[in-house]
Amino acid sequence: MNDRPMRGWGTTRRALFDQLDRPALQPLPGTPYEYADWKRCRVNLDYHIEADKHFYSVPYRLLRQEVEARITARTVEVFHRGKLVAAHQRSNRPHRPTTLAEHMPSSHRRYRDWTHERIQREAAAIGDDTAALVELILRSRPHPEQGFRSCIGILRLAKQYDAERLDAACARALGLGTRSYSSVAAILKNARERKVASPSQPEQPSLFHENIRGPGSYH
């Protein structure tokens, strides 16, 4: 049919296609069409946005800015004023962050080689009370990475003090209800981990027990 001459035209459909249509054709897209949802988000103070219960980082200079997230089955892309500012592989882990080092301020990049698991492992090597305090600090933050600075500071006290003293200081911090590097450092500096509370002034009970709720308890 395409090669048959047409009445009144004196040529074939194929010849007209080759002459008129083929030169105007464009190549097919390199990737097939992929459905995407769009969501308006405001960047949190920890330079992350929430998309489908997971947290994705954006450049820290966009704190409190409104952005748009393009969410597909495989990726999450973030746009600010029409410009792509972040791209992540989509994660199905609820209430956990995905953070790129280049999105972090310089003060946070020093901790990029640390992970939640590494911090817990090194804390457990020092002692049970150090592991308990570190876990409490990580669980008390909206995102565990926000507690990395305190936890790593506590772990590095092992270079200055022996493990037994450090673990005892963490035990005392738990008893006093404090959850910071500065508290543990002060206890060690003043050798307060060696003092035993008198019966008339008992220490407060530890805040670390099975009823402490983490950041995901209310989702």
Side-chain angles (χ1 to χ4, degrees), residues 163-174:
E164 184 177 356
R165 285 194 63 189
L166 178 54
D167 198 49
C170 290
R172 186 168 179 82
L174 286 168

Side-chain angles (χ1 to χ4, degrees), residues 10-81:
T11 186
T12 65
R13 292 178 174 85
R14 189 179 304 279
L16 289 174
F17 173 80
D18 291 336
Q19 179 185 353
L20 302 175
D21 296 288
R22 188 182 297 278
L25 292 177
Q26 298 293 322
L28 291 174
T31 56
Y33 173 79
E34 187 174 25
Y35 175 79
D37 285 316
W38 288 83
K39 178 182 179 181
R40 289 185 179 273
C41 309
R42 189 166 296 277
V43 180
N44 295 321
L45 291 176
D46 60 357
Y47 50 88
H48 286 70
I49 63 165
E50 184 272 329
D52 197 20
K53 299 182 180 180
H54 191 85
F55 302 97
Y56 300 91
S57 67
V58 301
Y60 72 93
R61 66 180 182 275
L62 297 177
L63 295 182
R64 297 185 179 277
Q65 297 291 314
E66 187 177 83
V67 296
E68 290 185 314
R70 180 178 181 272
I71 307 167
T72 72
R74 296 180 296 176
T75 61
V76 173
E77 297 174 315
V78 185
F79 295 83
H80 179 247
R81 297 179 180 177

Side-chain angles (χ1 to χ4, degrees), residues 129-141:
D129 289 299
T130 305
L133 179 59
V134 162
E135 178 65 16
L136 183 60
I137 292 172
L138 294 175
R139 290 168 58 184
S140 67
R141 304 298 200 274

Side-chain angles (χ1 to χ4, degrees), residues 125-197:
I126 295 172
D128 292 341
D129 289 299
T130 305
L133 179 59
V134 162
E135 178 65 16
L136 183 60
I137 292 172
L138 294 175
R139 290 168 58 184
S140 67
R141 304 298 200 274
H143 305 296
E145 284 73 7
Q146 294 176 341
F148 277 18
R149 182 176 181 179
S150 290
C151 292
I152 295 170
I154 291 171
L155 296 178
R156 286 176 174 170
L157 288 171
K159 297 180 180 180
Q160 187 176 356
Y161 303 95
D162 60 63
E164 184 177 356
R165 285 194 63 189
L166 178 54
D167 198 49
C170 290
R172 186 168 179 82
L174 286 168
L176 295 173
T178 61
R179 306 179 226 177
S180 66
Y181 158 79
S182 58
S183 298
V184 177
I187 290 171
L188 288 167
K189 182 178 179 180
N190 298 309
R192 292 181 60 198
E193 83 284 357
R194 298 172 180 171
K195 296 181 180 180
V196 179

